[in-house]
Amino acid sequence: NISYSLVDRETTPRDRNWGITLSWALPLLEGLLPPELVPQLQACQPDVSLSVASAGEQGVLIRDGATGATKIRVRYPGGIRRMQIQKTKRVLAAGLRLKRGKRLVSLSYGGDNDDSRATVTAHFADGTAETGTVVVGADGGASQVRRCLLGEAAAAQEVLPYAFMNFPFRLPADRARWLDAVMNPSVDVAPHPKGMYMGLFLLDKPDLDRPETWLFYLLVTWPIATREDEENTGNRLERLRAHMDGWADPYRSVVQWLADDVAIGTDQLRIWHPKPWDNRGGRVTLAGDAAHSMTFHRGQGGNLAIKDADEFVKRMVEVQEGRRSLKAAMDEYDRGVVERGQEVEISKQQAAAFHDYANFDSSPVFKMGIKPAGS
């Protein structure tokens, strides 16, 4: 019973697709959703036949890239749910009033910070505006709300010095069936002695009986070493294949089997360490990647975004029920966001560890698994 306006920069949904692994934050998501939507989370998975319990038992698999042997398997007894972004957006949009084509330009404020009638207005490129009591910037790693709060320099992301490839692919039926049988159903990743990271993931099984329709994707990173890496030149598949010497299966065969015309777009690994911001009397805040952009190497970004949402809702309910002022509630929420942002540095360390094979066994994922920092 809290009024809202939900806006999205995109006029139509983007083609871009990826997955996130929800572990410790899965119960929080289920608690946030209307009860009738919780069973629909199964339809958000790449493989709708995979149970949460089975995924948790199989866990997150980290192999030795040179041998294929298991280095560590991080099981999660509470269960894991792999979420495909496009499916998740469609399912969770049920019942929401979403306004598209709203690219934020600026924010303006009405009233004093300590005035109970204080407002904030979001101004969009199409000339429209929305006014309310709180703006939440959940607008991704390159957040425009963050720019409005902190300015361009302080809001700018740090670009990490790794070549990065992230792309989907399909295989002929027999090869797709083989890959599905040998890879971990949620997360299957490996460091390699040559200082390289590779991750194999399932993205979709649109027809369980037709393996040729199944969609997988690869995440690959290695330290930038050449001009081609620096400029991310167009010969990306050629460069990837040139890095596969000495890799074990399933990674080696997968790259060998990729179609020569597979689309590999340009990409960068970018992060943002949160720093305290002026929330203008509780009128503006950040959540998710806008608040703490991190690499995927410890699987925390999606979980932290759900934690942000859960904490924000709790604080707004307190305000609505008169138990706390908006300023006090938002100050507490913001402190929690910044504190959770320590994971940005931990994930950065984990990214470096995936490229430091000799010392990988002392990395955060060995010490902490996939539990949240401080737990």
Side-chain angles (χ1 to χ4, degrees):
N1 298 317
I2 299 175
S3 62
Y4 70 92
S5 182
L6 182 62
V7 298
D8 194 300
R9 179 186 62 191
E10 305 296 337
T11 303
T12 56
R14 290 189 295 167
D15 291 336
R16 195 75 182 267
N17 202 358
W18 67 93
I20 61 172
T21 305
L22 291 185
S23 51
W24 58 267
L26 181 56
L28 301 181
L29 174 61
E30 293 172 345
L32 284 166
L33 293 176
E36 65 273 14
L37 275 186
V38 174
Q40 296 301 312
L41 291 178
Q42 191 74 13
C44 300
Q45 297 184 169
D47 181 353
V48 297
S49 69
L50 181 65
S51 74
V52 169
S54 176
E57 174 60 27
Q58 296 181 74
V60 170
L61 177 62
I62 301 178
R63 307 180 194 244
D64 185 309
T67 68
T70 297
K71 288 184 73 68
I72 184 173
R73 185 188 295 270
V74 184
R75 291 183 168 86
Y76 204 83
I80 286 174
R81 194 183 288 280
R82 186 76 177 162
M83 307 284 285
Q84 194 234 63
I85 290 300
Q86 287 189 357
K87 290 181 177 182
T88 302
K89 284 186 173 182
R90 286 195 297 269
V91 168
L92 299 191
L96 295 179
R97 303 183 304 277
L98 175 61
K99 301 177 182 180
R100 292 194 172 275
K102 302 296 180 181
R103 183 171 63 83
L104 181 67
V105 175
S106 63
L107 300 174
S108 63
Y109 306 92
D112 296 328
N113 283 353
D114 57 357
D115 186 345
S116 62
R117 294 167 295 176
T119 61
V120 56
T121 300
H123 302 270
F124 305 107
D126 64 359
T128 63
E130 296 279 349
T131 297
T133 51
V134 180
V135 164
V136 183
D139 51 340
S143 170
Q144 176 66 10
V145 176
R146 191 172 72 227
R147 293 191 185 101
C148 292
L149 275 177
L150 292 162
E152 290 288 341
Q157 292 176 289
E158 176 186 355
V159 179
L160 300 184
Y162 302 108
F164 175 34
M165 297 184 187
N166 171 24
F167 61 95
F169 63 94
R170 287 189 172 89
L171 294 171
D174 57 336
R175 292 174 172 176
R177 192 177 291 110
W178 172 84
L179 178 58
D180 185 63
V182 301
M183 67 182 283
N184 185 278
S186 297
V187 177
D188 191 320
V189 301
H192 192 278
K194 64 173 62 179
M196 185 176 173
Y197 161 94
M198 184 171 289
L200 263 174
F201 304 85
L202 177 70
L203 193 57
D204 198 10
K205 284 187 176 178
D207 187 333
L208 295 176
D209 298 320
R210 297 177 59 217
E212 67 273 16
T213 69
W214 299 350
L215 191 63
F216 305 89
Y217 76 106
L218 275 171
L219 291 178
V220 189
T221 55
W222 65 79
I224 290 174
T226 66
R227 181 190 59 80
E228 289 180 314
D229 288 345
E230 187 74 41
E231 298 177 0
N232 205 357
T233 51
N235 59 336
R236 285 181 277 277
L237 179 57
E238 176 187 331
R239 286 190 287 127
L240 173 57
R241 285 176 169 162
H243 278 77
M244 294 307 297
D245 180 55
W247 273 87
D249 277 338
Y251 314 101
R252 177 181 57 196
S253 290
V254 164
V255 174
Q256 178 183 334
W257 292 339
L258 291 172
D260 289 340
D261 61 350
V262 66
I264 306 177
T266 59
D267 236 324
Q268 289 180 313
L269 277 183
R270 293 176 292 179
I271 64 175
W272 188 72
H273 295 265
K275 49 184 73 73
W277 55 81
D278 177 2
N279 63 24
R280 309 316 199 264
R283 286 181 285 183
V284 190
T285 194
L286 302 171
D289 284 354
H292 32 59
S293 314
M294 63 195 68
T295 75
F296 44 79
H297 292 91
R298 208 173 77 86
Q300 295 300 299
N303 288 277
L304 286 174
I306 300 303
K307 176 65 173 175
D308 288 346
D310 186 59
E311 291 297 323
F312 178 78
V313 170
K314 289 175 180 175
R315 301 293 83 77
M316 291 303 98
V317 169
E318 290 174 345
V319 174
Q320 184 195 46
E321 295 177 348
R323 292 186 281 131
R324 192 176 297 206
S325 71
L326 178 62
K327 178 70 166 68
M330 293 299 288
D331 284 349
E332 180 176 332
Y333 168 78
D334 288 351
R335 283 193 295 270
V337 169
V338 173
E339 181 179 334
R340 287 188 287 279
Q342 66 182 300
E343 179 60 44
V344 176
E345 180 58 30
I346 297 171
S347 290
K348 181 181 179 181
Q349 292 171 10
Q350 186 60 54
F354 267 111
H355 302 93
D356 182 9
Y357 180 88
N359 297 306
F360 183 77
D361 290 3
S362 61
S363 67
V365 77
F366 268 78
K367 297 175 181 177
M368 304 168 65
I370 55 175
K371 296 177 182 178
S375 66

